[in-house]
Structures are given as structure tokens and as C-alpha cells.
Amino acid sequence: MQSETDVQRAAHAARFARSRLPSAGLFAGYTWRIAPSACRLGHAMASELEGFGRVLLQFYRTANLLYRQSVGGKQPSWVAELIDQGKPEELVRLQRDPAFKHDLPRVIRPDILLTDGGWCVTELDAVPGGIGLTAWLARTYSELAYANSSPAVLGGADGMEQGFAGIFGAAKRVLIIVSKEAAAYRPEMEWLAARINTARGEERFKVCDADFQKFEPGDAVYRFFELFDLENVPVAARAFELARAGRIHLTPPPKPLFEEKLLFALLWNRNLRDFWRQELGGAFLRSMLDHAPYTWVMDPAPLPPHAAIPELNITDWSQLKTLSQRERDLVLKVSGFSELAWGARGVFLGSDMSRDDWSAAVDTGLHSFSKSPYVLQRYHKPRLAPSEWFDFEHDSVAKVLGRVRLCPYYFVHGDWENARARLGGVLATICPADKKIIHGMSEAILAPAAA
């Protein structure tokens, strides 16, 4: 039972956090449950997260090399064909353009689930939301930590702000272009831009609409829109052409391979194992295989009658439909280049579905292959962790068992071989135990992570 002092301390902390919310909000139309303190991680986990950015940056470098060598004939041609499948010709041309040869996303965010067997990276996001939110959480809870002598949040009070600002080098102006599709995230980016400008006494950062056209030579542009949505982003063609000509600096680059979840399937493919070991390095390869779930591409091409799909021991993808619910600890999701490829959309958890619904999802995945390939992953069930949030309606602390997703934000500073991935902060999303797929929702607790 909590003492009155504990409740009073939690109430003060929660009210303090709520009072610091920007008047314009952080997510348009979205709310979350406020925790009275940061999400505490063990020192070992915190240390692993600090170092994992190096692994992910090298993974991106190696995936980029794999694609280029596939195009050039030094690696199997099916790799590039698979990545390019369903993409417009112009986007394929940009992805292969020498101007973007070495360009990688400057923000890397893995989605990490905490399980009984360790931690699992379910996917990587090269155009992530939550940057401004996590920056606000880090700053707000750092003030609370200082007042209460609590552990410091990972990345520090301004780690997200410094990390984001640092990816643009010495550019005099930074334009954050937000699409209508990403409009819910615009308030957090406006807060972040204003915060960085105020801290530095300048007006360098500016959030722009998708029809912005007034570029200046040397501008840095942050692309806050997905490549599947280019038809609804009038500025895209102009921005890409200016970046190709070297007149502006653009991140993430117009390379859809970094928005594909099937990169994990390529990582696990035995035909490519020697390439990954040589280019990624033995230690980094082991780290990736330890934390990335086994992933398959749902390719409907028929197998020879004597062959089977590795790990699943089925000879045809349609046989997935016959698996019992207990055998369906599998997640089916669209790989990328689709309006269903972000958030919790386009994600199907086999063990949580009826046979008919699962069968329909399998058919969807197979029928979509030529346009938007689907991937299948082993499902690693998140463990239940004790958590708490403050219930303002009843003026009390609500204790719950929740499932935790961690989203570390790594910011890439420096150019090519000198580039380094720096941890700016970690967003913890804690969902109720009955929610099998973890994502931001009104019932979720959002907090920064601390060691």
C-alpha cells in the first residue's frame, strides 16, 4: 500500500508534467497516460542501447552496399529486384543515382520489445515520429529527476534536441517538411524547432507544408514524409532534384530500401550470410541476429515439391492457414511503400486471430507481393512489467502490468566513414496487458527511459 507521501509526490510529478505540455499539444488529436516518473531500465540494458547505434548504422551501410552491388552484378540480382518491386521508375532511378550513393538516414529508430528471452528489434524506422515528443519528455522528466534526486534520463535533458540539430551540420537554414499524412506529428516538430531556435538564439529551424517551394542554396531539408505518399507531396520532386544537384542537403535520402522491413529477411537469408559476415563484421552480425526476429518474405512463387520454407517446414505459403492458433506465434505485416506500413496498420498477429481472419490476412500478403511485399516474423511476446500512471480523474496512482516497447533515437553526425550514431533519448511506450500489438494509444503510458 502506498503512503500518502508517495501519492503526493506522484501527484506533484504528474501535474508538473501535464503543466509543461505545450499549448498547441504534441500530437494532433492524441493523448496518453502520464507517468509520475521515467521508465527505469537496468544499467546493462542502458549500456546495450548506448552501443547499439553503432551496430544499426553499420547495418544500414551494409544494406546499402548490398543493394548497390546487386544492381552492379556483384551480388545476386534478385536482391535489387525484390527491393525495387512495386516502386515507381523515377524512385528506382533516384535510389540508384550516384548523387545518393552513400547517403543513409540520419535518424535511426528501432522498435524494441522487452521479452522474457531478452530484447527484440521488430523493425527499423527511417522516418520516425516521436522525435519532438521524446525531446519534450526528456526535458520535462529531467527537471523532475533533478528535483527528486532520481536517475537521469538516457541522453540527458537536451540529448534529443542536440542530436536532431547536429544531423544538419553547419547549414544556415533547416526546413522540416511535413506531409498531410504526417500531420498528427506536426505539433511536436514545431515545438522542437522552436525549442532549438530559442536555445540558440536564432531562427534556423522552420516547419513547412508539403507545397513549400522557396528553397535557397545550402538549405538542409528534413523529409518528414514517406516515399509511398509522393503524389500528395508537391514539393517532393523539386526537393529531390535539388538534392541530386547538390544545391540542398536532404535527409532521409529518397531511397525506399531504408523503408522496407524485408531488410531483416535479407539479413537472415543463408545465401547472403557470407556477405553480411564480411561487410557487417562477425560481432555486429551476431548482435543483429541475436536481436532481430527471424523474418521471411511472403513470395508466392511455387517451390519444388521436395523443398520447404526454412524454419517453418511448410512447402507452400498457403499452408500457413492450416496452422493451429498455438502454432501461429507469427506476425504478418506489409514491408513498406504502403499507407499501411506505419503505426499498427497492416500488422496481423496470428495467435490473436480466428482461423478465417488469419487465412484472409495470408491471402492479402500473397496477393500483394507484386506491389507491396509482406513479411512474416517470429513473434516474441513482450513480458509484463509493473508500471504506473496518474489518474487525474480520481486523483490517484494507478498501478498496472503492461507490455513495454522502447524506441531509442540515434542521430547520425559526420559524413560517410566518419559518421557516428549518437543516442539522443529513449521513448518508452507501455500498453495494457490485453493489447498484443504495442503502439501509441490513449491507454498507453508514454515516458522517457532512465538508467
Side-chain angles (χ1 to χ4, degrees):
M1 185 174 179
Q2 287 184 311
S3 69
E4 183 177 357
T5 302
D6 289 339
V7 174
Q8 290 173 341
R9 186 181 297 114
H12 169 75
R15 291 193 181 99
F16 176 85
R18 187 172 66 169
S19 72
R20 290 298 192 273
L21 280 168
S23 59
L26 290 163
F27 283 157
Y30 291 89
T31 59
W32 64 88
R33 289 173 171 171
I34 294 178
S37 62
C39 175
R40 298 192 182 190
L41 306 178
H43 286 286
M45 178 74 196
S47 179
E48 289 178 6
L49 291 180
E50 287 278 2
F52 197 54
R54 294 177 57 217
V55 180
L56 294 178
L57 177 58
Q58 189 61 23
F59 175 71
Y60 267 173
R61 282 193 182 116
T62 307
N64 186 61
L65 178 63
L66 175 62
Y67 176 80
R68 290 195 294 108
Q69 290 193 350
S70 175
V71 172
K74 294 182 179 180
Q75 292 296 328
S77 60
W78 62 262
V79 173
E81 292 168 1
L82 181 61
I83 290 173
D84 291 341
Q85 195 156 285
K87 312 300 188 299
E89 183 177 332
E90 176 62 16
L91 202 50
V92 173
R93 184 186 69 80
L94 284 169
Q95 179 157 258
R96 298 183 178 191
D97 196 299
F100 302 113
K101 180 179 180 180
H102 297 306
D103 285 9
L104 307 174
R106 293 264 169 185
V107 182
I108 306 174
R109 193 200 78 180
D111 286 355
I112 294 176
L113 300 182
L114 303 184
T115 75
D116 289 331
W119 51 277
C120 178
V121 180
T122 60
E123 58 189 61
L124 302 177
D125 196 340
V127 193
I131 298 175
L133 167 70
T134 307
W136 176 84
L137 287 168
R139 179 161 293 282
T140 301
Y141 282 77
S142 288
E143 292 183 46
L144 282 171
Y146 179 79
N148 299 332
S149 300
S150 300
V153 300
L154 291 176
D158 63 353
M160 293 292 294
E161 299 163 24
Q162 297 289 343
F164 184 72
I167 69 178
F168 304 105
K172 292 184 179 180
R173 192 169 71 153
V174 178
L175 306 172
I176 304 169
I177 298 179
V178 182
S179 66
K180 291 182 179 179
E181 178 81 7
Y185 300 99
R186 181 169 182 140
E188 65 162 343
M189 299 310 288
E190 290 177 334
W191 179 89
L192 179 62
R195 175 68 207 177
I196 296 173
N197 286 339
T198 299
R200 301 189 176 200
E202 57 191 14
E203 294 297 323
R204 183 177 172 225
F205 285 74
K206 180 181 180 181
V207 178
C208 305
D209 293 328
D211 56 359
F212 180 87
Q213 293 291 333
K214 297 180 180 179
F215 295 102
E216 298 174 3
D219 279 347
V221 175
Y222 184 71
R223 171 174 70 84
F224 205 154
F225 54 87
E226 302 274 358
L227 293 175
F228 75 83
D229 196 36
L230 297 186
E231 291 183 358
N232 299 313
V233 184
V235 70
R238 172 81 171 148
F240 293 165
E241 185 56 34
L242 290 173
R244 191 192 67 79
R247 295 178 61 189
I248 65 172
H249 305 283
L250 174 72
T251 190
K255 300 167 78 167
L257 77 97
F258 295 117
E259 296 176 22
E260 293 286 349
K261 299 175 181 66
L262 59 78
L263 291 183
F264 281 1
L266 299 179
L267 173 72
W268 279 100
N269 189 286
R270 294 291 302 187
N271 294 315
L272 302 173
R273 183 57 53 86
D274 289 343
F275 169 85
W276 286 108
R277 183 177 291 110
Q278 177 177 334
E279 301 296 339
L280 186 56
F284 281 10
L285 175 59
R286 286 191 297 274
S287 182
M288 287 298 300
L289 294 178
D290 283 345
H291 298 299
Y294 200 104
T295 306
W296 302 263
V297 178
M298 292 276 287
D299 184 346
L303 296 178
H306 51 77
I309 296 169
E311 299 285 318
L312 292 173
N313 294 321
I314 58 176
T315 60
D316 186 282
W317 286 112
S318 63
Q319 293 171 11
L320 284 175
K321 302 177 187 179
T322 67
L323 299 181
S324 68
Q325 198 164 28
R326 183 174 297 179
E327 295 173 309
R328 283 191 249 125
D329 273 337
L330 301 165
V331 177
L332 180 63
K333 53 189 173 183
V334 65
S335 175
F337 204 72
S338 167
E339 68 277 7
L340 302 176
W342 65 278
R345 299 177 291 183
V347 179
F348 305 96
L349 175 56
S351 60
D352 201 39
M353 303 173 71
S354 68
R355 182 181 291 271
D356 288 345
D357 288 345
W358 173 247
S359 295
V362 170
D363 285 337
T364 296
L366 293 174
H367 294 157
S368 300
F369 178 71
S370 62
K371 183 180 179 181
S372 296
Y374 273 64
V375 297
L376 187 74
Q377 286 185 335
R378 288 280 184 212
Y379 175 63
H380 297 270
K381 187 176 182 179
R383 69 171 184 257
L384 294 176
S387 308
E388 59 184 27
W389 58 282
F390 194 77
D391 186 339
F392 291 98
E393 182 179 351
H394 297 96
D395 200 37
S396 64
V397 177
K399 290 186 170 294
V400 296
L401 284 176
R403 304 187 191 277
V404 183
R405 182 188 71 184
L406 299 178
C407 291
Y409 289 83
Y410 300 101
F411 299 98
V412 179
H413 295 179
D415 294 324
W416 189 229
E417 292 297 338
N418 296 321
R420 297 292 182 268
R422 165 188 172 183
L423 178 66
V426 181
L427 171 63
T429 302
I430 306 163
C431 288
D434 62 337
K435 307 296 183 183
K436 303 298 175 61
I437 298 175
I438 303 177
H439 60 96
M441 59 178 77
S442 60
E443 295 174 286
I445 303 168
L446 301 185

